[in-house]
């Protein structure tokens, strides 16, 4: 984890005081629990709002025992950390309190006393009884779904009582959750989140001067849905959402590209070409669009070659049959 000490568990220092490394470290750490049960030292400042109580967090962490170089627990080896919900997936009370004190991008070191970590029994065989542990935590991102979940549970009439900005915020949260799930290749779950966002936006009527905000939010969700259905190998549905996006923005290169991809999968080559040429017109130097056009040309050549071969065989069979009949 960037900015961390090399061996946080085995801190170096003068032993003349007779104190342990964690005791010396604690002297310069901030008390965030009120009883010095959870102490914090910021290594790199974050930005934005603090983590909210019911948030789902994306973190990298490593836990260390005193005098040990290697962590007893870490998720830093994962390419993409798992999204974890406070109060459900995070079991250490100290870690939850620590995360509630953090902002996006922050890297911090924490000491958790036994009452905030593994208690009087520890966690054999790794954690001895009554053990203070050190955790280094990097908060990559967090998403607060509590507000979104409560809002989505309301009836359409109740939702209409809230201002438009509230609806847009909830829809954006749903889309962010979908984006995270998509990056995890959990395409079915991502699709569910995107559809929740789209339903909220479809339900909401806005005054003419604010309608562009709703349309802009819809466009992002429709593009996400089109891509997700391509991943789910359902090109017809991907095409439908792509075409809905084009109703909002007929020159949107990404929507044109998704529609072209869907048509290519369905072997509707002329439609695929029409969409992709329009996309290329909007973004002439887009590598993905140009590659898809090359793929289309290759597929179409193979298709026409097979058509010619099939016709040749049909006529050859017909000619042979006629000759036999005449004899």
């Amino acid at each position: 984890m960037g900015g961390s000490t090399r061996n946080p568990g085995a801190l170096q220092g003068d032993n003349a005081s007779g104190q342990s490394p964690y005791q010396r470290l604690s002297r310069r750490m901030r008390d965030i629990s009120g009883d010095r049960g959870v102490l914090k030292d910021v290594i790199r400042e974050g930005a934005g709002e603090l983590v909210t109580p019911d948030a789902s967090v994306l973190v990298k962490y490593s836990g260390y025992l005193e005098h040990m170089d290697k962590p007893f627990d870490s998720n830093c080896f994962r390419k993409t950390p798992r999204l974890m919900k406070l109060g459900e997936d995070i079991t250490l009370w100290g870690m939850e309190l620590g995360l509630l004190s953090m902002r996006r991008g922050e890297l911090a070191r924490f000491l958790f006393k036994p009452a905030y970590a593994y208690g009087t029994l520890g966690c054999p065989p790794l954690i001895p009884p009554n053990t203070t542990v050190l955790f280094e935590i990097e908060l990559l991102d967090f998403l607060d779904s509590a507000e979104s979940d409560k809002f989505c549970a309301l009836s359409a009439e109740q939702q209409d009582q809230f201002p438009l900005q509230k609806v847009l915020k909830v829809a954006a949260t749903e889309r962010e959750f979908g984006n995270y799930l998509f990056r995890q290749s959990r395409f079915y779950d991502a699709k569910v989140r995107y559809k929740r966002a789209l339903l909220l936006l479809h339900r909401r009527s806005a005054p003419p001067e604010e309608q562009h905000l709703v349309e802009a939010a819809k466009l992002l969700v429709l593009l996400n849905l089109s891509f997700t259905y391509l991943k789910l190998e359902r090109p017809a549905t991907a095409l439908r959402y792509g075409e809905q996006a084009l109703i909002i923005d007929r020159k949107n290169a990404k929507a044109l590209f998704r529609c072209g991809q869907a048509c290519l999968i369905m072997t509707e080559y002329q439609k695929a070409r029409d969409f992709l040429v329009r996309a290329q017109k909007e973004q002439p130097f887009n590598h993905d669009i140009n590659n898809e056009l090359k793929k289309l040309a290759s597929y179409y050549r193979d298709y026409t070659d097979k058509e010619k071969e099939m016709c040749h065989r049909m006529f050859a069979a017909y000619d042979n049959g006629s000759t036999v009949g005449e004899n």
Side-chain angles (χ1 to χ4, degrees), residues 78-146:
R78 292 175 179 265
K79 185 177 181 181
T80 306
R82 183 172 62 91
L83 199 65
M84 298 186 293
K85 189 169 179 63
L86 297 182
E88 293 181 13
D89 301 312
I90 295 174
T91 56
L92 290 187
W93 187 17
M95 183 179 285
E96 184 155 338
L97 288 178
L99 284 164
L100 290 171
S101 74
M102 299 183 74
R103 306 176 192 274
R104 287 184 180 90
E106 182 177 333
L107 175 65
R109 180 188 297 129
F110 296 90
L111 281 177
F112 303 148
K113 295 291 178 64
Y116 291 87
Y118 298 96
T120 57
L121 298 179
C123 187
L126 289 176
I127 315 296
N130 289 310
T131 298
T132 295
V133 294
L134 182 147
F135 268 81
E136 281 196 357
I137 302 174
E138 181 179 10
L139 178 64
L140 305 174
D141 199 0
F142 72 89
L143 298 169
D144 183 2
S145 66

Side-chain angles (χ1 to χ4, degrees), residues 312-322:
H312 176 74
R313 288 178 179 175
M314 287 175 62
F315 283 116
Y318 175 79
D319 290 341
N320 289 338
S322 299

Side-chain angles (χ1 to χ4, degrees), residues 40-89:
K40 178 180 180 180
D41 179 31
V42 176
I43 299 170
R44 184 183 67 230
E45 296 285 350
E49 301 175 352
L50 292 172
V51 172
T52 49
D54 290 308
S56 294
V57 296
L58 193 63
V59 298
K60 287 185 177 181
Y61 65 84
S62 294
Y64 296 88
L65 298 176
E66 201 166 18
H67 306 297
M68 291 186 66
D69 292 342
K70 293 183 179 180
F72 65 83
D73 186 20
S74 178
N75 74 341
C76 292
F77 61 88
R78 292 175 179 265
K79 185 177 181 181
T80 306
R82 183 172 62 91
L83 199 65
M84 298 186 293
K85 189 169 179 63
L86 297 182
E88 293 181 13
D89 301 312

Side-chain angles (χ1 to χ4, degrees), residues 22-267:
Y22 281 5
Q23 288 173 331
R24 293 195 303 276
L25 176 64
S26 68
R27 294 204 302 257
R28 54 186 170 87
M29 299 180 81
R30 180 166 62 92
D31 178 14
I32 63 170
S33 61
D35 59 359
R36 297 195 63 78
V38 179
L39 303 175
K40 178 180 180 180
D41 179 31
V42 176
I43 299 170
R44 184 183 67 230
E45 296 285 350
E49 301 175 352
L50 292 172
V51 172
T52 49
D54 290 308
S56 294
V57 296
L58 193 63
V59 298
K60 287 185 177 181
Y61 65 84
S62 294
Y64 296 88
L65 298 176
E66 201 166 18
H67 306 297
M68 291 186 66
D69 292 342
K70 293 183 179 180
F72 65 83
D73 186 20
S74 178
N75 74 341
C76 292
F77 61 88
R78 292 175 179 265
K79 185 177 181 181
T80 306
R82 183 172 62 91
L83 199 65
M84 298 186 293
K85 189 169 179 63
L86 297 182
E88 293 181 13
D89 301 312
I90 295 174
T91 56
L92 290 187
W93 187 17
M95 183 179 285
E96 184 155 338
L97 288 178
L99 284 164
L100 290 171
S101 74
M102 299 183 74
R103 306 176 192 274
R104 287 184 180 90
E106 182 177 333
L107 175 65
R109 180 188 297 129
F110 296 90
L111 281 177
F112 303 148
K113 295 291 178 64
Y116 291 87
Y118 298 96
T120 57
L121 298 179
C123 187
L126 289 176
I127 315 296
N130 289 310
T131 298
T132 295
V133 294
L134 182 147
F135 268 81
E136 281 196 357
I137 302 174
E138 181 179 10
L139 178 64
L140 305 174
D141 199 0
F142 72 89
L143 298 169
D144 183 2
S145 66
E147 182 182 19
S148 174
D149 291 340
K150 290 176 184 176
F151 187 83
C152 291
L154 299 175
S155 67
E157 293 75 18
Q158 290 172 317
Q159 291 175 3
D160 285 341
Q161 304 304 311
F162 288 87
L164 176 62
Q165 290 302 322
K166 172 78 169 182
V167 179
L168 294 174
K169 181 182 178 183
V170 171
T173 298
E174 289 298 310
R175 187 172 65 83
E176 288 170 7
F177 262 97
N179 291 345
Y180 173 79
L181 293 165
F182 186 96
R183 290 192 294 270
Q184 294 282 306
S185 297
R186 294 167 57 185
F187 303 122
Y188 183 87
D189 295 330
K191 176 256 296 183
V192 171
R193 288 289 186 171
Y194 292 143
K195 282 193 168 182
R196 280 178 67 172
L198 190 61
L199 180 61
L200 289 173
L201 296 168
H202 276 322
R203 280 180 180 173
R204 185 60 184 229
S205 58
E209 65 273 14
E210 293 185 321
Q211 187 59 34
H212 70 282
L213 298 174
V214 177
E215 296 299 295
K218 280 184 186 177
L219 179 61
L220 294 174
V221 178
L222 289 168
L223 291 171
N224 289 149
L225 277 166
S226 184
F227 195 16
T228 302
Y229 275 103
L230 285 174
K231 293 292 188 181
L232 289 169
E233 299 181 352
R234 293 175 60 182
T237 308
L239 176 61
R240 187 172 76 246
Y241 283 116
E243 289 177 327
Q244 288 180 36
L246 289 172
I247 293 172
I248 297 173
D249 180 5
R250 65 186 183 87
K251 292 187 175 183
N252 187 282
K254 192 171 287 187
L256 291 165
F257 178 56
R258 299 292 177 229
C259 290
Q261 286 180 298
C263 289
L264 180 56
I265 293 169
M266 293 187 291
T267 68

